[in-house]
């Protein structure tokens, strides 16, 4: 820059004077400020665009995750309901079990009582027979 530009400024000073150089420098700096400002504005716009895109993808990702969570929650609820259906019998079967269970127990108890009565009778008959034998022996 020192080799190319500064000698031109010296020529401009000789042709137009010091005020001509100052006018030229102010003109160049105003053009540079304008282009610099345009670049800064572009950078700010691009930065805002990037922020908006990030926010959009973040919101979209949150919506996807919320939808996945909702689907999982529905699946869990259906699984829980299925497990509850397997674990707890329906109201009709509860009533049937409640009605049939005491009758079944009653029948098994009656059979046990009959079996015990038969055993007792068998024991009494054996006792009577053996006691008769002893009575006969002593007589």
């Amino acid at each position: 820059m020192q080799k190319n530009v500064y000698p031109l400024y010296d020529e401009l000073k000789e042709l137009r004077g010091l005020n001509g150089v100052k006018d030229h420098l102010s003109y160049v700096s105003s053009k540079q400020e304008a282009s610099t400002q345009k670049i800064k504005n572009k950078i700010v716009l691009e930065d805002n665009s990037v922020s908006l895109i990030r926010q959009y993808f973040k919101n979209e990702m949150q919506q996807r995750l919320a939808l996945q969570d909702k689907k999982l929650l529905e699946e869990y609820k259906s699984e829980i309901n299925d497990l509850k259906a397997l674990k707890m019998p329906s109201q009709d079967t509860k009533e049937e079990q409640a009605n049939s269970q005491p009758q079944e127990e009653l029948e098994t108890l009656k059979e046990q009582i009959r079996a015990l009565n038969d055993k007792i009778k068998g024991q009494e008959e054996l006792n009577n027979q053996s006691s008769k034998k002893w009575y006969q022996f002593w007589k």
Side-chain angles (χ1 to χ4, degrees), residues 9 23-33:
Y9 281 122
D23 289 341
H24 176 72
L25 288 176
S26 66
Y27 172 78
V28 169
S29 68
S30 68
K31 293 297 180 179
Q32 283 181 344
E33 286 177 8

Side-chain angles (χ1 to χ4, degrees), residues 70-87:
K70 186 177 179 182
K71 286 180 182 178
L72 281 174
L73 184 62
E74 289 174 4
E75 287 178 19
Y76 289 151
K77 283 182 180 179
S78 66
E79 286 179 15
I80 288 171
N81 289 337
D82 291 344
L83 291 174
K84 282 183 180 178
L86 291 174
K87 185 178 178 182

Side-chain angles (χ1 to χ4, degrees), residues 3 9 17 27-29 32 34 41 48-49 51 64 68 78 82 101 104 106-107 110 122 124 130-131 138:
K3 290 180 183 178
Y9 281 122
Y27 172 78
V28 169
S29 68
Q32 283 181 344
N41 288 342
N48 289 341
S49 298
S51 301
R64 285 184 194 166
Q68 287 176 349
S78 66
D82 291 344
Q101 191 173 10
E104 290 173 4
L106 187 63
E107 291 298 322
K110 283 182 182 179
E124 285 177 355
S130 65
S131 65
W138 287 102

Side-chain angles (χ1 to χ4, degrees), residues 16-131:
R16 294 201 178 176
L18 189 59
N19 286 335
V21 173
K22 287 182 181 178
D23 289 341
H24 176 72
L25 288 176
S26 66
Y27 172 78
V28 169
S29 68
S30 68
K31 293 297 180 179
Q32 283 181 344
E33 286 177 8
S35 65
T36 305
Q37 188 62 35
K38 286 181 183 178
I39 292 171
K40 286 180 182 179
N41 288 342
K42 283 184 180 181
I43 290 171
V44 169
L45 285 174
E46 288 178 8
D47 192 35
N48 289 341
S49 298
V50 168
S51 301
L52 289 172
I53 291 171
R54 283 183 182 160
Q55 186 65 34
Y56 172 77
F57 283 120
K58 183 179 176 183
N59 289 340
E60 187 175 325
M61 183 63 87
Q62 286 176 345
Q63 288 176 350
R64 285 184 194 166
L65 291 174
L67 185 62
Q68 287 176 349
D69 289 346
K70 186 177 179 182
K71 286 180 182 178
L72 281 174
L73 184 62
E74 289 174 4
E75 287 178 19
Y76 289 151
K77 283 182 180 179
S78 66
E79 286 179 15
I80 288 171
N81 289 337
D82 291 344
L83 291 174
K84 282 183 180 178
L86 291 174
K87 185 178 178 182
M88 295 174 27
S90 67
Q91 194 66 21
D92 295 336
T93 58
K94 282 183 182 178
E95 291 174 3
E96 290 173 8
Q97 286 179 354
N99 291 337
S100 65
Q101 191 173 10
Q103 290 175 354
E104 290 173 4
E105 288 181 18
L106 187 63
E107 291 298 322
T108 55
L109 288 174
K110 283 182 182 179
E111 288 177 22
Q112 288 176 357
I113 290 172
R114 285 184 199 133
L116 288 174
N117 282 336
D118 291 341
K119 272 189 175 181
I120 291 172
K121 284 181 185 177
Q123 288 293 328
E124 285 177 355
E125 289 177 6
L126 285 176
N127 284 341
N128 286 340
Q129 287 177 1
S130 65
S131 65

